[in-house]
Amino acid sequence: MKAWLPAAVAAALVALPALAGIGSSVAVAAGTGAPSAQCAPGVPVGPDGENFYNPPSPLPRGTHGDVIWARRVEAPGHALACRILYLSTLHDGKPVATSGLVVWPTGPVPRGGRNVVAWAHGTVGGPRQCAPSAAPNPARNLVDYFTYKSPFPLDVGVPALTKFLAAGDVVASTDYQGLGTPGVHQYVVAATEEHNVLDSVIAARRIQAIHAGNRLAVLGWSQGGGAAMFIGQDIHRYSPELNLVGVAGLAPAADLGPQFAGKVLPGPRNASSRAHNAALRVNVYRGFLAAYPELHATDVLKPAGLEALKGDGVACIEHFADVIQGNVADDHKLNTLFKPLREVPDNWAKRLHENTPGYATTVAPVLVMQGTADTVINPHSTAQYVKRACTFSRPVEFTTYQGATHNTIPFDAQKEYVPWIAARFAGTKAPSNC
């Protein structure tokens, strides 16, 4: 099989050292002094390298959340971590293999098992090599991509990971279908993402050594924030055994329908935001085309946009946005990519609407955090989602962070969402400012 990670990139990633300040817990194979790949007793050991992400064909029989295989990776001190490959489903129920990461503390296990925080990451792009768990030592606190300290070509890590571990929580993180594993990533197709997130939690629960209980909080950012909001609406249908105590969204992609209908006031912009948002728009179209066979690319994209659509399957999001900037945005020709929104057929509008959260009630309290200087997720669109969510008389807390950007919000809001999640696990009444 042709490698999906370019050789030069793979070599660079393998050579990267662990970031300073992160401890490690790695099991040692008895009598060898070498690290053990075994994740936990009874769990099959997956292949090393990129072959980890190539599932058996045909897929093994089982139910969603079953672990196909796992492999130990370095973890912060007093914790253990594994890459996992597990069964999940697409929006239409079709079985699919999905990869991810699970990290858990080594301390005492509380009665009823450990609480679980599910991390739903933000947009990294469309190709397989963009999977966050495929990075070296992915079990780390989120690395700020837009700093000189980041050696990675995409966002890697989980925000506040070590804080959740210190609280005794298990952290489960999906890559989403099509990132890492084969297939076209169904970007912002809500049910697919929801299934992938919830099945990462179920997979953690099926690894007995983790002692994961059924109490769950979801933390999502951008793409993952929209997925988190849908989980609050739909968890009882898909995973009734899980007890969702709260969903927290960092600049959530939660207003697709109104955005694509041109019903949102303009938001902040910078020199690169138009090209970046064009890259996101192509990513949305690619994900929907993969999920819904009645949709056609030529209904929404011009010939130059069809070429860009191919590139969305090659480059991770920041690289892809840079290419769009250089190819068309610098020459003020972004309009050569897309058909006007007023010409988008009703079948596209219908699918965008049904993948927009906030039109059905959530079963758990909601926390939404939004930066006022965000050029990726329009603050006005987030406010529109909150307005819808508040109509269902559930606790909804909406906090804006003055001057925070899309990339800084996971760090700027950490002092809010970490204690908020802890309070939901403690059973205290959720705040609301609807």
Side-chain angles (χ1 to χ4, degrees):
M1 175 174 289
K2 183 178 179 180
W4 52 262
L5 189 63
V9 176
L13 289 177
V14 169
L16 288 173
L19 294 187
I22 188 169
S24 64
S25 296
V26 179
V28 175
T32 68
S36 171
Q38 181 77 52
C39 177
V43 179
V45 177
D48 196 11
E50 68 183 51
N51 285 329
F52 181 89
Y53 296 89
N54 293 324
S57 182
L59 288 177
R61 293 184 179 181
T63 59
H64 64 88
D66 282 354
V67 178
I68 299 172
W69 57 51
R71 194 173 182 92
R72 184 69 58 84
V73 296
E74 288 192 19
H78 309 291
L80 298 171
C82 293
R83 289 188 180 96
I84 55 174
L85 191 73
Y86 58 95
L87 292 177
S88 190
T89 61
L90 302 179
H91 72 100
D92 56 5
K94 180 181 177 181
V96 66
T98 305
S99 57
L101 180 74
V102 61
V103 193
W104 68 100
T106 56
V109 179
R111 180 176 296 179
R114 297 184 170 107
N115 296 325
V116 182
V117 177
W119 166 239
H121 68 75
T123 303
V124 292
R128 293 182 67 183
Q129 72 266 23
C130 305
S133 79
N137 306 329
R140 61 176 77 228
N141 290 320
L142 180 68
V143 181
D144 189 346
Y145 174 84
F146 285 98
T147 66
Y148 294 118
K149 296 180 181 179
S150 175
F152 301 112
L154 47 84
D155 293 309
V156 172
V158 178
L161 173 64
T162 52
K163 294 183 184 296
F164 292 128
L165 294 172
D169 301 332
V170 175
V171 177
S173 173
T174 185
D175 288 326
Y176 307 123
Q177 154 275 342
L179 298 177
T181 51
V184 178
H185 174 40
Q186 295 187 0
Y187 179 70
V188 295
V189 174
T192 296
E193 294 179 347
E194 170 203 341
H195 298 174
N196 299 164
V197 173
L198 292 174
D199 286 332
S200 73
V201 175
I202 296 172
R205 283 170 49 78
R206 291 189 176 151
I207 300 175
Q208 294 184 2
I210 296 176
H211 299 286
N214 72 336
R215 287 157 51 84
L216 165 68
V218 181
L219 173 65
W221 178 26
S222 193
Q223 172 188 6
M229 302 306 142
F230 257 101
I231 287 171
Q233 298 176 189
D234 199 42
I235 187 171
H236 285 171
R237 178 195 63 83
Y238 191 71
S239 303
E241 72 274 24
L242 297 178
N243 176 15
L244 183 67
V245 301
V247 292
L250 298 156
D255 206 38
L256 286 178
Q259 284 264 77
F260 277 76
K263 296 180 179 179
V264 183
L265 293 172
R269 290 186 177 182
N270 60 25
S272 63
S273 61
R274 294 182 73 241
H276 191 277
N277 287 330
L280 293 174
R281 186 171 168 185
V282 174
N283 215 27
V284 171
Y285 289 154
R286 182 172 182 263
F288 275 47
L289 288 165
Y292 306 116
E294 79 276 11
L295 302 181
H296 301 288
T298 51
D299 287 336
V300 292
L301 294 169
K302 296 179 179 179
L306 296 174
E307 289 300 310
L309 185 68
K310 298 175 185 176
D312 192 37
V314 175
C316 296
I317 192 65
E318 299 303 339
H319 179 188
F320 185 49
D322 288 345
V323 173
I324 288 178
Q325 181 74 47
N327 284 356
V328 292
D330 284 344
D331 297 326
H332 308 290
K333 294 181 179 178
L334 280 171
N335 64 331
T336 64
L337 299 179
F338 305 108
K339 298 282 185 71
L341 289 176
R342 64 180 180 275
E343 296 180 11
V344 173
D346 289 343
N347 57 353
W348 275 93
K350 174 179 178 292
R351 291 302 191 182
L352 288 161
H353 174 79
E354 69 186 40
N355 285 282
T356 301
Y359 295 110
T361 190
T362 177
V363 301
V366 172
L367 171 65
V368 178
M369 298 147 285
Q370 176 68 49
T372 61
D374 194 327
T375 62
V376 178
I377 295 296
N378 186 338
H380 296 300
S381 71
T382 301
Q384 288 190 177
Y385 161 74
V386 170
K387 185 176 180 179
R388 293 195 301 273
C390 281
T391 63
F392 294 108
S393 302
R394 297 283 186 176
V396 177
E397 183 78 0
F398 180 34
T399 306
T400 56
Y401 285 80
Q402 189 65 35
T405 69
H406 195 69
N407 300 96
T408 66
I409 193 66
F411 307 97
D412 294 335
Q414 191 170 128
K415 291 183 179 179
E416 181 174 18
Y417 61 78
V418 171
W420 186 88
I421 288 173
R424 303 292 74 74
F425 283 137
T428 61
K429 184 178 179 180
S432 181
N433 58 4
C434 282

